[in-house]
Amino acid sequence: MALLRRTARHRGAAAGMALLALFLLAAVFAPGIAPRDPLAQTLDEGLSGPSSSHWLGQDKFGRDVLSRLIHGARLSLAVGLGTVGISLLIGLAAGSLAGFLGGAADRIFTGACDVLLAFPGILLAIGIAAVRGPSFGNVLFALSVLGWVGYARVIRSQVLSVKTREFVESARAVGSSPARLLLRHILPNAISPILVEATFGIARAIVAEAGLSFLGLGVAPPAPSWGSMIGEGRHFLFIAPHLVTAPGAAILLTVMAFNFVGDGLRDALDVTTTATP
């Protein structure tokens, strides 16, 4: 709670948390908030602009854009949180063990990370998604394949720094086991940069998912996705710009909100170390 209060003192972070709260509420309560069924079609009203009955207009199939936007928040936030959650688990385990054990384990880890970082992340994700097919699980897998590397590198560098401090040496001198040293004394004092990087990572994952969905490699239609909504609307940009501007604004606001929160969290923790993109 103290960390939350310190973060909220940052004006941008406070605004970001307010925006995120709105998007989270929309995602959780989408069926009750959305004015219409996001999959219901009214073909004779296709490409209609905003009106009193459809505040953000209708797409080419006559589906309500606002309802699809609200339900799309579920997918975008689930992908962002899911990708970062999976990447964090793998990265924390690999990076902390490499930094704590050192020696050959650390050299193997560093070499593996260098090889993986040689691959362009988004291109590899596109290739994996194209081979495995469009689905929620495949999107998570594609974005997590390289997503863990940045977190692992950060936690490794932090563990290398913390494990030489006096309180760790004191715990080792009194007979603490290696597992206790790592889990009880080192990781709690090395985790702060990961928390900051995770907030930026969620924003990156949301943009990456939107890109995959834009290319038709995200969640299979007709499930609403902000990226696929932009992809469908680009063909009607000049006659129905609302099809692109609405989901585009949603992506922009969500990414900005996470970045603002990340800035505030970084200031609250006074962290300067970030993961390699």
Side-chain angles (χ1 to χ4, degrees):
M1 292 302 293
L3 177 61
L4 185 62
R5 287 194 295 270
R6 291 199 304 271
T7 303
R9 292 180 189 142
H10 189 286
R11 292 183 179 179
M17 286 190 287
L19 275 174
L20 289 180
L22 290 176
F23 281 112
L24 285 172
L25 286 174
V28 172
F29 300 105
I33 295 175
R36 299 175 184 274
D37 182 348
L39 304 181
Q41 300 182 11
T42 311
L43 296 177
D44 58 337
E45 297 178 5
L47 302 180
S48 297
S51 64
S52 58
S53 56
H54 299 277
W55 290 1
L56 294 180
Q58 296 165 266
D59 66 7
K60 64 180 180 179
F61 296 113
R63 297 174 297 193
D64 184 64
V65 173
L66 176 58
S67 299
R68 292 181 63 77
L69 200 69
I70 292 172
H71 281 267
R74 281 186 157 187
L75 176 63
S76 293
L77 292 177
V79 168
L81 295 173
T83 299
V84 169
I86 294 171
S87 300
L88 271 178
L89 288 176
I90 300 173
L92 280 174
S96 59
L97 286 175
F100 183 72
L101 296 175
D106 189 34
R107 290 193 295 273
I108 293 171
F109 167 81
T110 303
C113 286
D114 291 340
V115 170
L116 290 173
L117 288 174
F119 294 93
I122 189 62
L123 293 182
L124 183 61
I126 289 173
I128 292 172
V131 171
R132 295 176 62 90
S135 74
F136 178 78
N138 289 341
V139 169
L140 285 183
F141 177 76
L143 296 180
S144 302
V145 166
L146 292 182
W148 63 272
V149 178
Y151 302 108
R153 287 165 62 93
V154 169
I155 198 65
R156 169 190 170 271
S157 65
Q158 289 297 110
V159 168
L160 287 173
S161 173
V162 173
K163 75 175 186 179
T164 60
R165 294 183 184 175
E166 292 182 357
F167 68 88
V168 177
E169 295 296 336
S170 299
R172 183 180 286 110
V174 299
S176 294
S177 65
R180 182 178 177 83
L181 282 174
L182 180 60
L183 299 176
R184 186 69 181 271
H185 299 286
I186 297 177
L187 277 183
N189 292 282
I191 201 72
S192 295
I194 290 291
L195 298 177
V196 176
E197 181 60 21
T199 57
F200 296 121
I202 295 172
R204 291 196 297 268
I206 290 174
V207 172
E209 183 277 326
L212 291 177
S213 295
F214 179 86
L215 297 173
L217 301 174
V219 177
S225 164
W226 291 345
S228 62
M229 291 173 68
I230 294 176
E232 294 171 358
R234 75 184 189 277
H235 302 293
F236 311 100
L237 184 59
F238 294 106
I239 60 175
H242 61 278
L243 300 182
V244 172
T245 54
I251 295 172
L252 173 65
L253 290 175
T254 306
V255 170
M256 286 179 59
F258 276 112
N259 285 337
F260 286 157
V261 172
D263 286 338
L265 189 60
R266 180 174 54 196
D267 292 345
L269 294 171
D270 193 25
V271 174
T272 57
T273 305
T274 58
T276 303

mmCIF file with all atom_site columns, all heavy atoms in Angstrom, residues 69-94:
data_model
loop_
_atom_site.group_PDB
_atom_site.id
_atom_site.type_symbol
_atom_site.label_atom_id
_atom_site.label_alt_id
_atom_site.label_comp_id
_atom_site.label_asym_id
_atom_site.label_entity_id
_atom_site.label_seq_id
_atom_site.pdbx_PDB_ins_code
_atom_site.Cartn_x
_atom_site.Cartn_y
_atom_site.Cartn_z
_atom_site.occupancy
_atom_site.B_iso_or_equiv
_atom_site.pdbx_formal_charge
_atom_site.auth_seq_id
_atom_site.auth_comp_id
_atom_site.auth_asym_id
_atom_site.auth_atom_id
_atom_site.pdbx_PDB_model_num
ATOM 1   N N   . LEU A 1 69 ? -15.584 -2.903  -28.865 1.00 0.00 ? 69 LEU A N   1
ATOM 2   C CA  . LEU A 1 69 ? -14.453 -2.250  -28.213 1.00 0.00 ? 69 LEU A CA  1
ATOM 3   C C   . LEU A 1 69 ? -14.358 -2.676  -26.748 1.00 0.00 ? 69 LEU A C   1
ATOM 4   O O   . LEU A 1 69 ? -13.271 -2.967  -26.240 1.00 0.00 ? 69 LEU A O   1
ATOM 5   C CB  . LEU A 1 69 ? -14.618 -0.734  -28.315 1.00 0.00 ? 69 LEU A CB  1
ATOM 6   C CG  . LEU A 1 69 ? -13.365 0.120   -28.125 1.00 0.00 ? 69 LEU A CG  1
ATOM 7   C CD1 . LEU A 1 69 ? -12.418 -0.084  -29.298 1.00 0.00 ? 69 LEU A CD1 1
ATOM 8   C CD2 . LEU A 1 69 ? -13.763 1.594   -28.025 1.00 0.00 ? 69 LEU A CD2 1
ATOM 9   N N   . ILE A 1 70 ? -15.489 -2.714  -26.067 1.00 0.00 ? 70 ILE A N   1
ATOM 10  C CA  . ILE A 1 70 ? -15.507 -3.096  -24.650 1.00 0.00 ? 70 ILE A CA  1
ATOM 11  C C   . ILE A 1 70 ? -15.083 -4.554  -24.488 1.00 0.00 ? 70 ILE A C   1
ATOM 12  O O   . ILE A 1 70 ? -14.262 -4.891  -23.621 1.00 0.00 ? 70 ILE A O   1
ATOM 13  C CB  . ILE A 1 70 ? -16.904 -2.856  -24.048 1.00 0.00 ? 70 ILE A CB  1
ATOM 14  C CG1 . ILE A 1 70 ? -17.195 -1.355  -23.992 1.00 0.00 ? 70 ILE A CG1 1
ATOM 15  C CG2 . ILE A 1 70 ? -17.012 -3.465  -22.656 1.00 0.00 ? 70 ILE A CG2 1
ATOM 16  C CD1 . ILE A 1 70 ? -18.622 -1.018  -23.580 1.00 0.00 ? 70 ILE A CD1 1
ATOM 17  N N   . HIS A 1 71 ? -15.623 -5.437  -25.305 1.00 0.00 ? 71 HIS A N   1
ATOM 18  C CA  . HIS A 1 71 ? -15.233 -6.845  -25.220 1.00 0.00 ? 71 HIS A CA  1
ATOM 19  C C   . HIS A 1 71 ? -13.794 -7.050  -25.670 1.00 0.00 ? 71 HIS A C   1
ATOM 20  O O   . HIS A 1 71 ? -13.106 -7.970  -25.183 1.00 0.00 ? 71 HIS A O   1
ATOM 21  C CB  . HIS A 1 71 ? -16.181 -7.702  -26.065 1.00 0.00 ? 71 HIS A CB  1
ATOM 22  C CG  . HIS A 1 71 ? -17.488 -7.980  -25.401 1.00 0.00 ? 71 HIS A CG  1
ATOM 23  N ND1 . HIS A 1 71 ? -17.724 -9.101  -24.647 1.00 0.00 ? 71 HIS A ND1 1
ATOM 24  C CD2 . HIS A 1 71 ? -18.652 -7.267  -25.367 1.00 0.00 ? 71 HIS A CD2 1
ATOM 25  C CE1 . HIS A 1 71 ? -18.960 -9.089  -24.177 1.00 0.00 ? 71 HIS A CE1 1
ATOM 26  N NE2 . HIS A 1 71 ? -19.553 -7.991  -24.605 1.00 0.00 ? 71 HIS A NE2 1
ATOM 27  N N   . GLY A 1 72 ? -13.320 -6.210  -26.588 1.00 0.00 ? 72 GLY A N   1
ATOM 28  C CA  . GLY A 1 72 ? -11.933 -6.317  -27.018 1.00 0.00 ? 72 GLY A CA  1
ATOM 29  C C   . GLY A 1 72 ? -10.945 -5.993  -25.917 1.00 0.00 ? 72 GLY A C   1
ATOM 30  O O   . GLY A 1 72 ? -9.796  -6.465  -25.946 1.00 0.00 ? 72 GLY A O   1
ATOM 31  N N   . ALA A 1 73 ? -11.371 -5.187  -24.939 1.00 0.00 ? 73 ALA A N   1
ATOM 32  C CA  . ALA A 1 73 ? -10.498 -4.875  -23.802 1.00 0.00 ? 73 ALA A CA  1
ATOM 33  C C   . ALA A 1 73 ? -10.132 -6.141  -23.044 1.00 0.00 ? 73 ALA A C   1
ATOM 34  O O   . ALA A 1 73 ? -9.030  -6.262  -22.495 1.00 0.00 ? 73 ALA A O   1
ATOM 35  C CB  . ALA A 1 73 ? -11.191 -3.879  -22.880 1.00 0.00 ? 73 ALA A CB  1
ATOM 36  N N   . ARG A 1 74 ? -11.062 -7.086  -22.987 1.00 0.00 ? 74 ARG A N   1
ATOM 37  C CA  . ARG A 1 74 ? -10.786 -8.355  -22.311 1.00 0.00 ? 74 ARG A CA  1
ATOM 38  C C   . ARG A 1 74 ? -9.588  -9.060  -22.949 1.00 0.00 ? 74 ARG A C   1
ATOM 39  O O   . ARG A 1 74 ? -8.665  -9.505  -22.262 1.00 0.00 ? 74 ARG A O   1
ATOM 40  C CB  . ARG A 1 74 ? -12.006 -9.267  -22.398 1.00 0.00 ? 74 ARG A CB  1
ATOM 41  C CG  . ARG A 1 74 ? -13.110 -8.950  -21.427 1.00 0.00 ? 74 ARG A CG  1
ATOM 42  C CD  . ARG A 1 74 ? -14.204 -9.996  -21.504 1.00 0.00 ? 74 ARG A CD  1
ATOM 43  N NE  . ARG A 1 74 ? -14.961 -10.040 -20.274 1.00 0.00 ? 74 ARG A NE  1
ATOM 44  C CZ  . ARG A 1 74 ? -15.889 -10.932 -20.006 1.00 0.00 ? 74 ARG A CZ  1
ATOM 45  N NH1 . ARG A 1 74 ? -16.170 -11.865 -20.899 1.00 0.00 ? 74 ARG A NH1 1
ATOM 46  N NH2 . ARG A 1 74 ? -16.526 -10.919 -18.842 1.00 0.00 ? 74 ARG A NH2 1
ATOM 47  N N   . LEU A 1 75 ? -9.612  -9.150  -24.255 1.00 0.00 ? 75 LEU A N   1
ATOM 48  C CA  . LEU A 1 75 ? -8.552  -9.865  -24.956 1.00 0.00 ? 75 LEU A CA  1
ATOM 49  C C   . LEU A 1 75 ? -7.217  -9.149  -24.812 1.00 0.00 ? 75 LEU A C   1
ATOM 50  O O   . LEU A 1 75 ? -6.197  -9.773  -24.499 1.00 0.00 ? 75 LEU A O   1
ATOM 51  C CB  . LEU A 1 75 ? -8.914  -10.012 -26.431 1.00 0.00 ? 75 LEU A CB  1
ATOM 52  C CG  . LEU A 1 75 ? -7.854  -10.656 -27.316 1.00 0.00 ? 75 LEU A CG  1
ATOM 53  C CD1 . LEU A 1 75 ? -7.593  -12.094 -26.879 1.00 0.00 ? 75 LEU A CD1 1
ATOM 54  C CD2 . LEU A 1 75 ? -8.261  -10.612 -28.771 1.00 0.00 ? 75 LEU A CD2 1
ATOM 55  N N   . SER A 1 76 ? -7.209  -7.841  -25.039 1.00 0.00 ? 76 SER A N   1
ATOM 56  C CA  . SER A 1 76 ? -5.951  -7.094  -24.996 1.00 0.00 ? 76 SER A CA  1
ATOM 57  C C   . SER A 1 76 ? -5.313  -7.156  -23.614 1.00 0.00 ? 76 SER A C   1
ATOM 58  O O   . SER A 1 76 ? -4.097  -7.392  -23.486 1.00 0.00 ? 76 SER A O   1
ATOM 59  C CB  . SER A 1 76 ? -6.204  -5.638  -25.401 1.00 0.00 ? 76 SER A CB  1
ATOM 60  O OG  . SER A 1 76 ? -6.570  -5.551  -26.755 1.00 0.00 ? 76 SER A OG  1
ATOM 61  N N   . LEU A 1 77 ? -6.096  -6.937  -22.570 1.00 0.00 ? 77 LEU A N   1
ATOM 62  C CA  . LEU A 1 77 ? -5.548  -6.968  -21.217 1.00 0.00 ? 77 LEU A CA  1
ATOM 63  C C   . LEU A 1 77 ? -5.143  -8.390  -20.827 1.00 0.00 ? 77 LEU A C   1
ATOM 64  O O   . LEU A 1 77 ? -4.124  -8.588  -20.147 1.00 0.00 ? 77 LEU A O   1
ATOM 65  C CB  . LEU A 1 77 ? -6.563  -6.419  -20.224 1.00 0.00 ? 77 LEU A CB  1
ATOM 66  C CG  . LEU A 1 77 ? -6.853  -4.912  -20.360 1.00 0.00 ? 77 LEU A CG  1
ATOM 67  C CD1 . LEU A 1 77 ? -7.931  -4.483  -19.373 1.00 0.00 ? 77 LEU A CD1 1
ATOM 68  C CD2 . LEU A 1 77 ? -5.582  -4.093  -20.124 1.00 0.00 ? 77 LEU A CD2 1
ATOM 69  N N   . ALA A 1 78 ? -5.923  -9.385  -21.256 1.00 0.00 ? 78 ALA A N   1
ATOM 70  C CA  . ALA A 1 78 ? -5.573  -10.774 -20.942 1.00 0.00 ? 78 ALA A CA  1
ATOM 71  C C   . ALA A 1 78 ? -4.254  -11.162 -21.603 1.00 0.00 ? 78 ALA A C   1
ATOM 72  O O   . ALA A 1 78 ? -3.403  -11.832 -20.982 1.00 0.00 ? 78 ALA A O   1
ATOM 73  C CB  . ALA A 1 78 ? -6.685  -11.711 -21.395 1.00 0.00 ? 78 ALA A CB  1
ATOM 74  N N   . VAL A 1 79 ? -4.058  -10.738 -22.855 1.00 0.00 ? 79 VAL A N   1
ATOM 75  C CA  . VAL A 1 79 ? -2.797  -11.038 -23.540 1.00 0.00 ? 79 VAL A CA  1
ATOM 76  C C   . VAL A 1 79 ? -1.640  -10.314 -22.867 1.00 0.00 ? 79 VAL A C   1
ATOM 77  O O   . VAL A 1 79 ? -0.571  -10.898 -22.641 1.00 0.00 ? 79 VAL A O   1
ATOM 78  C CB  . VAL A 1 79 ? -2.882  -10.660 -25.032 1.00 0.00 ? 79 VAL A CB  1
ATOM 79  C CG1 . VAL A 1 79 ? -1.502  -10.688 -25.677 1.00 0.00 ? 79 VAL A CG1 1
ATOM 80  C CG2 . VAL A 1 79 ? -3.814  -11.598 -25.767 1.00 0.00 ? 79 VAL A CG2 1
ATOM 81  N N   . GLY A 1 80 ? -1.831  -9.031  -22.538 1.00 0.00 ? 80 GLY A N   1
ATOM 82  C CA  . GLY A 1 80 ? -0.769  -8.270  -21.886 1.00 0.00 ? 80 GLY A CA  1
ATOM 83  C C   . GLY A 1 80 ? -0.369  -8.870  -20.556 1.00 0.00 ? 80 GLY A C   1
ATOM 84  O O   . GLY A 1 80 ? 0.823   -9.116  -20.290 1.00 0.00 ? 80 GLY A O   1
ATOM 85  N N   . LEU A 1 81 ? -1.345  -9.133  -19.706 1.00 0.00 ? 81 LEU A N   1
ATOM 86  C CA  . LEU A 1 81 ? -1.059  -9.689  -18.385 1.00 0.00 ? 81 LEU A CA  1
ATOM 87  C C   . LEU A 1 81 ? -0.552  -11.123 -18.486 1.00 0.00 ? 81 LEU A C   1
ATOM 88  O O   . LEU A 1 81 ? 0.373   -11.517 -17.762 1.00 0.00 ? 81 LEU A O   1
ATOM 89  C CB  . LEU A 1 81 ? -2.318  -9.634  -17.514 1.00 0.00 ? 81 LEU A CB  1
ATOM 90  C CG  . LEU A 1 81 ? -2.827  -8.223  -17.175 1.00 0.00 ? 81 LEU A CG  1
ATOM 91  C CD1 . LEU A 1 81 ? -4.175  -8.298  -16.464 1.00 0.00 ? 81 LEU A CD1 1
ATOM 92  C CD2 . LEU A 1 81 ? -1.820  -7.486  -16.302 1.00 0.00 ? 81 LEU A CD2 1
ATOM 93  N N   . GLY A 1 82 ? -1.148  -11.911 -19.380 1.00 0.00 ? 82 GLY A N   1
ATOM 94  C CA  . GLY A 1 82 ? -0.730  -13.301 -19.517 1.00 0.00 ? 82 GLY A CA  1
ATOM 95  C C   . GLY A 1 82 ? 0.689   -13.434 -20.044 1.00 0.00 ? 82 GLY A C   1
ATOM 96  O O   . GLY A 1 82 ? 1.487   -14.230 -19.531 1.00 0.00 ? 82 GLY A O   1
ATOM 97  N N   . THR A 1 83 ? 1.014   -12.641 -21.063 1.00 0.00 ? 83 THR A N   1
ATOM 98  C CA  . THR A 1 83 ? 2.368   -12.701 -21.636 1.00 0.00 ? 83 THR A CA  1
ATOM 99  C C   . THR A 1 83 ? 3.413   -12.312 -20.609 1.00 0.00 ? 83 THR A C   1
ATOM 100 O O   . THR A 1 83 ? 4.440   -12.981 -20.455 1.00 0.00 ? 83 THR A O   1
ATOM 101 C CB  . THR A 1 83 ? 2.463   -11.770 -22.860 1.00 0.00 ? 83 THR A CB  1
ATOM 102 O OG1 . THR A 1 83 ? 1.530   -12.194 -23.851 1.00 0.00 ? 83 THR A OG1 1
ATOM 103 C CG2 . THR A 1 83 ? 3.868   -11.784 -23.438 1.00 0.00 ? 83 THR A CG2 1
ATOM 104 N N   . VAL A 1 84 ? 3.153   -11.218 -19.891 1.00 0.00 ? 84 VAL A N   1
ATOM 105 C CA  . VAL A 1 84 ? 4.115   -10.768 -18.887 1.00 0.00 ? 84 VAL A CA  1
ATOM 106 C C   . VAL A 1 84 ? 4.198   -11.766 -17.737 1.00 0.00 ? 84 VAL A C   1
ATOM 107 O O   . VAL A 1 84 ? 5.280   -12.031 -17.201 1.00 0.00 ? 84 VAL A O   1
ATOM 108 C CB  . VAL A 1 84 ? 3.730   -9.364  -18.371 1.00 0.00 ? 84 VAL A CB  1
ATOM 109 C CG1 . VAL A 1 84 ? 4.561   -8.987  -17.149 1.00 0.00 ? 84 VAL A CG1 1
ATOM 110 C CG2 . VAL A 1 84 ? 3.947   -8.337  -19.473 1.00 0.00 ? 84 VAL A CG2 1
ATOM 111 N N   . GLY A 1 85 ? 3.067   -12.355 -17.345 1.00 0.00 ? 85 GLY A N   1
ATOM 112 C CA  . GLY A 1 85 ? 3.095   -13.335 -16.272 1.00 0.00 ? 85 GLY A CA  1
ATOM 113 C C   . GLY A 1 85 ? 3.949   -14.546 -16.623 1.00 0.00 ? 85 GLY A C   1
ATOM 114 O O   . GLY A 1 85 ? 4.789   -14.993 -15.822 1.00 0.00 ? 85 GLY A O   1
ATOM 115 N N   . ILE A 1 86 ? 3.753   -15.087 -17.827 1.00 0.00 ? 86 ILE A N   1
ATOM 116 C CA  . ILE A 1 86 ? 4.546   -16.241 -18.265 1.00 0.00 ? 86 ILE A CA  1
ATOM 117 C C   . ILE A 1 86 ? 6.017   -15.865 -18.387 1.00 0.00 ? 86 ILE A C   1
ATOM 118 O O   . ILE A 1 86 ? 6.912   -16.595 -17.933 1.00 0.00 ? 86 ILE A O   1
ATOM 119 C CB  . ILE A 1 86 ? 4.022   -16.767 -19.610 1.00 0.00 ? 86 ILE A CB  1
ATOM 120 C CG1 . ILE A 1 86 ? 2.604   -17.326 -19.438 1.00 0.00 ? 86 ILE A CG1 1
ATOM 121 C CG2 . ILE A 1 86 ? 4.953   -17.839 -20.179 1.00 0.00 ? 86 ILE A CG2 1
ATOM 122 C CD1 . ILE A 1 86 ? 1.916   -17.660 -20.748 1.00 0.00 ? 86 ILE A CD1 1
ATOM 123 N N   . SER A 1 87 ? 6.286   -14.714 -19.005 1.00 0.00 ? 87 SER A N   1
ATOM 124 C CA  . SER A 1 87 ? 7.673   -14.275 -19.193 1.00 0.00 ? 87 SER A CA  1
ATOM 125 C C   . SER A 1 87 ? 8.365   -14.029 -17.864 1.00 0.00 ? 87 SER A C   1
ATOM 126 O O   . SER A 1 87 ? 9.556   -14.336 -17.699 1.00 0.00 ? 87 SER A O   1
ATOM 127 C CB  . SER A 1 87 ? 7.707   -13.004 -20.047 1.00 0.00 ? 87 SER A CB  1
ATOM 128 O OG  . SER A 1 87 ? 7.142   -13.226 -21.325 1.00 0.00 ? 87 SER A OG  1
ATOM 129 N N   . LEU A 1 88 ? 7.629   -13.469 -16.896 1.00 0.00 ? 88 LEU A N   1
ATOM 130 C CA  . LEU A 1 88 ? 8.208   -13.214 -15.577 1.00 0.00 ? 88 LEU A CA  1
ATOM 131 C C   . LEU A 1 88 ? 8.597   -14.510 -14.879 1.00 0.00 ? 88 LEU A C   1
ATOM 132 O O   . LEU A 1 88 ? 9.681   -14.608 -14.287 1.00 0.00 ? 88 LEU A O   1
ATOM 133 C CB  . LEU A 1 88 ? 7.228   -12.438 -14.712 1.00 0.00 ? 88 LEU A CB  1
ATOM 134 C CG  . LEU A 1 88 ? 7.270   -10.917 -14.791 1.00 0.00 ? 88 LEU A CG  1
ATOM 135 C CD1 . LEU A 1 88 ? 6.203   -10.310 -13.897 1.00 0.00 ? 88 LEU A CD1 1
ATOM 136 C CD2 . LEU A 1 88 ? 8.645   -10.396 -14.395 1.00 0.00 ? 88 LEU A CD2 1
ATOM 137 N N   . LEU A 1 89 ? 7.721   -15.485 -14.919 1.00 0.00 ? 89 LEU A N   1
ATOM 138 C CA  . LEU A 1 89 ? 8.014   -16.757 -14.254 1.00 0.00 ? 89 LEU A CA  1
ATOM 139 C C   . LEU A 1 89 ? 9.278   -17.399 -14.819 1.00 0.00 ? 89 LEU A C   1
ATOM 140 O O   . LEU A 1 89 ? 10.162  -17.833 -14.078 1.00 0.00 ? 89 LEU A O   1
ATOM 141 C CB  . LEU A 1 89 ? 6.832   -17.700 -14.395 1.00 0.00 ? 89 LEU A CB  1
ATOM 142 C CG  . LEU A 1 89 ? 5.579   -17.365 -13.575 1.00 0.00 ? 89 LEU A CG  1
ATOM 143 C CD1 . LEU A 1 89 ? 4.455   -18.340 -13.903 1.00 0.00 ? 89 LEU A CD1 1
ATOM 144 C CD2 . LEU A 1 89 ? 5.889   -17.411 -12.081 1.00 0.00 ? 89 LEU A CD2 1
ATOM 145 N N   . ILE A 1 90 ? 9.356   -17.439 -16.153 1.00 0.00 ? 90 ILE A N   1
ATOM 146 C CA  . ILE A 1 90 ? 10.533  -18.048 -16.784 1.00 0.00 ? 90 ILE A CA  1
ATOM 147 C C   . ILE A 1 90 ? 11.773  -17.196 -16.539 1.00 0.00 ? 90 ILE A C   1
ATOM 148 O O   . ILE A 1 90 ? 12.847  -17.707 -16.196 1.00 0.00 ? 90 ILE A O   1
ATOM 149 C CB  . ILE A 1 90 ? 10.294  -18.234 -18.288 1.00 0.00 ? 90 ILE A CB  1
ATOM 150 C CG1 . ILE A 1 90 ? 9.091   -19.148 -18.531 1.00 0.00 ? 90 ILE A CG1 1
ATOM 151 C CG2 . ILE A 1 90 ? 11.536  -18.810 -18.962 1.00 0.00 ? 90 ILE A CG2 1
ATOM 152 C CD1 . ILE A 1 90 ? 8.683   -19.252 -19.987 1.00 0.00 ? 90 ILE A CD1 1
ATOM 153 N N   . GLY A 1 91 ? 11.630  -15.887 -16.724 1.00 0.00 ? 91 GLY A N   1
ATOM 154 C CA  . GLY A 1 91 ? 12.773  -14.992 -16.569 1.00 0.00 ? 91 GLY A CA  1
ATOM 155 C C   . GLY A 1 91 ? 13.315  -14.962 -15.161 1.00 0.00 ? 91 GLY A C   1
ATOM 156 O O   . GLY A 1 91 ? 14.538  -14.968 -14.947 1.00 0.00 ? 91 GLY A O   1
ATOM 157 N N   . LEU A 1 92 ? 12.424  -14.924 -14.159 1.00 0.00 ? 92 LEU A N   1
ATOM 158 C CA  . LEU A 1 92 ? 12.875  -14.915 -12.769 1.00 0.00 ? 92 LEU A CA  1
ATOM 159 C C   . LEU A 1 92 ? 13.637  -16.189 -12.427 1.00 0.00 ? 92 LEU A C   1
ATOM 160 O O   . LEU A 1 92 ? 14.696  -16.146 -11.785 1.00 0.00 ? 92 LEU A O   1
ATOM 161 C CB  . LEU A 1 92 ? 11.683  -14.755 -11.825 1.00 0.00 ? 92 LEU A CB  1
ATOM 162 C CG  . LEU A 1 92 ? 11.132  -13.344 -11.632 1.00 0.00 ? 92 LEU A CG  1
ATOM 163 C CD1 . LEU A 1 92 ? 9.864   -13.368 -10.788 1.00 0.00 ? 92 LEU A CD1 1
ATOM 164 C CD2 . LEU A 1 92 ? 12.174  -12.446 -10.983 1.00 0.00 ? 92 LEU A CD2 1
ATOM 165 N N   . ALA A 1 93 ? 13.094  -17.327 -12.867 1.00 0.00 ? 93 ALA A N   1
ATOM 166 C CA  . ALA A 1 93 ? 13.755  -18.596 -12.559 1.00 0.00 ? 93 ALA A CA  1
ATOM 167 C C   . ALA A 1 93 ? 15.128  -18.693 -13.231 1.00 0.00 ? 93 ALA A C   1
ATOM 168 O O   . ALA A 1 93 ? 16.141  -19.010 -12.584 1.00 0.00 ? 93 ALA A O   1
ATOM 169 C CB  . ALA A 1 93 ? 12.868  -19.766 -12.983 1.00 0.00 ? 93 ALA A CB  1
ATOM 170 N N   . ALA A 1 94 ? 15.170  -18.402 -14.527 1.00 0.00 ? 94 ALA A N   1
ATOM 171 C CA  . ALA A 1 94 ? 16.423  -18.542 -15.271 1.00 0.00 ? 94 ALA A CA  1
ATOM 172 C C   . ALA A 1 94 ? 17.462  -17.508 -14.835 1.00 0.00 ? 94 ALA A C   1
ATOM 173 O O   . ALA A 1 94 ? 18.626  -17.842 -14.583 1.00 0.00 ? 94 ALA A O   1
ATOM 174 C CB  . ALA A 1 94 ? 16.159  -18.430 -16.767 1.00 0.00 ? 94 ALA A CB  1
#
